[in-house]
Amino acid sequence: MEQLVADIFARDCTSRPTLEAVAGKWGILALAALHDGSFRFNALRRKVDGVSEKMLSQTLQTLERDGMVLRDVQATIPPRVEYSLTPLGHKVAEKLVDLIELVESEMPQVHEAQSRYDAS
Amino acid sequence: MEQLVADIFARDCTSRPTLEAVAGKWGILALAALHDGSFRFNALRRKVDGVSEKMLSQTLQTLERDGMVLRDVQATIPPRVEYSLTPLGHKVAEKLVDLIELVESEMPQVHEAQSRYDAS
DNA sequence: ACTAGCGCTTTCTAAAAGTTAGTGTAATTC
DNA sequence: GAATTACACTAACTTTTAGAAAGCGCTAGT
């Protein structure tokens, strides 16, 4: 009865949680940042303005588990943990960066649409 | 003092809510479904298995406001509301479909990674 | 009368996000 | 010594959002 549904529209599709993680609020930003190079925890937190330690830690954990992110721990004092993208993570991040760039470039259109909507 | 920040990494960037909407759990699925053609409300709900009326309604409202989705109301009994993508929504949906297809095709890798992670 | 279709909206509960404080080691400054 | 800083998280509590279920009013069919 182990059914791996490969249809994103089906509620049981196993890719749904993964898609939610990579495209989610903090996942997309973390992956986009890591697309430009590896980061240590607090550096990544400063880059992704607005994310809490908790949400970042949680997000990175999920992304690591899904095979998108590599967590390299060095036994130093103070501790040193470096995050980077796996090859898979890199492929996904490229798509995410494309999406981000498109949305950013279309924001004037979005703002117009919002004003029109709010006036109706 | 009206500062439209065009950097997705900045917490005040106006594209953040829009990105969250299109890439969010239900937004991405609704846009991907609409990429294949227009749908009436309940047809869309049946297509995107697992979404509640409430979440779908809310999602479509946000997407309409952002200019991604067109809502065509016909004054019939019973009411007939048809949702379709705007040109902007179509551009965005294409990127989303790319992402979805990539993630779907890489799920065996993801599952492997998850097993490795859970065993460590 | 009851059921079904339509496209939502409202009310309540459950889950997740977010805020704040905490952990332990070491180094630096007063 | 005490206080502060760096590091990478984690725990406890509060707030927000998602989700579940019921509701609305109209019509048509059984």
Side-chain angles (χ1 to χ4, degrees):
Chain A
M1 298 316 302
E2 182 84 11
Q3 197 167 24
L4 296 183
V5 187
D7 170 29
I8 196 67
F9 294 115
R11 83 169 52 187
D12 300 325
C13 183
T14 61
S15 58
R16 276 210 184 175
T18 298
L19 190 65
E20 274 160 50
V22 303
K25 179 172 178 180
W26 300 120
I28 192 168
L29 294 176
L31 289 169
L34 290 167
H35 183 253
D36 294 335
S38 61
F39 284 80
R40 291 168 62 194
F41 187 86
N42 279 316
L44 187 54
R45 186 166 170 232
R46 285 188 296 270
K47 175 72 179 181
V48 183
D49 192 20
V51 72
S52 68
E53 289 158 322
K54 182 195 165 184
M55 292 316 300
L56 183 58
S57 175
Q58 186 176 294
T59 298
L60 289 172
Q61 197 171 70
T62 300
L63 293 176
E64 188 194 356
R65 183 168 180 273
D66 285 350
M68 306 288 167
V69 161
L70 203 57
R71 181 171 170 271
D72 180 30
V73 187
Q74 285 170 38
T76 59
I77 298 293
R80 181 185 190 99
V81 181
E82 186 129 58
Y83 292 90
S84 56
L85 292 180
T86 62
L88 171 59
H90 223 97
K91 284 193 224 175
V92 169
E94 273 188 30
K95 301 288 185 191
L96 294 174
V97 169
D98 283 349
L99 175 65
I100 290 166
E101 282 170 0
L102 174 65
V103 170
E104 275 183 332
S105 68
E106 296 286 354
M107 283 315 289
Q109 286 246 52
V110 173
H111 289 142
E112 267 188 45
Q114 286 173 341
S115 299
R116 254 181 280 127
Y117 185 91
D118 293 341
S120 63
Chain B
M1 294 314 302
E2 181 84 9
Q3 198 167 23
L4 297 181
V5 189
D7 170 29
I8 196 65
F9 294 114
R11 79 169 56 188
D12 299 327
C13 183
T14 62
S15 58
R16 278 215 183 170
T18 298
L19 190 64
E20 274 161 49
V22 303
K25 181 174 178 179
W26 299 121
I28 192 169
L29 295 177
L31 289 169
L34 289 167
H35 183 253
D36 295 335
S38 61
F39 283 82
R40 289 169 62 194
F41 187 86
N42 280 316
L44 187 53
R45 190 170 167 229
R46 285 188 297 270
K47 175 71 182 181
V48 182
D49 193 18
V51 72
S52 68
E53 290 157 318
K54 181 196 164 184
M55 293 314 301
L56 183 57
S57 177
Q58 186 178 290
T59 300
L60 289 171
Q61 197 172 72
T62 301
L63 293 176
E64 187 193 358
R65 186 172 178 269
D66 286 348
M68 306 288 168
V69 160
L70 204 56
R71 178 170 171 271
D72 180 29
V73 187
Q74 284 168 41
T76 59
I77 298 296
R80 179 183 190 102
V81 182
E82 186 129 54
Y83 292 91
S84 56
L85 293 180
T86 62
L88 171 58
H90 223 99
K91 283 195 225 176
V92 169
E94 274 189 27
K95 301 287 183 192
L96 295 175
V97 169
D98 283 351
L99 174 66
I100 289 167
E101 282 170 359
L102 175 64
V103 170
E104 276 186 330
S105 69
E106 296 287 355
M107 284 313 290
Q109 286 246 55
V110 172
H111 288 141
E112 266 188 45
Q114 287 173 342
S115 299
R116 255 183 278 127
Y117 184 91
D118 293 343
S120 62

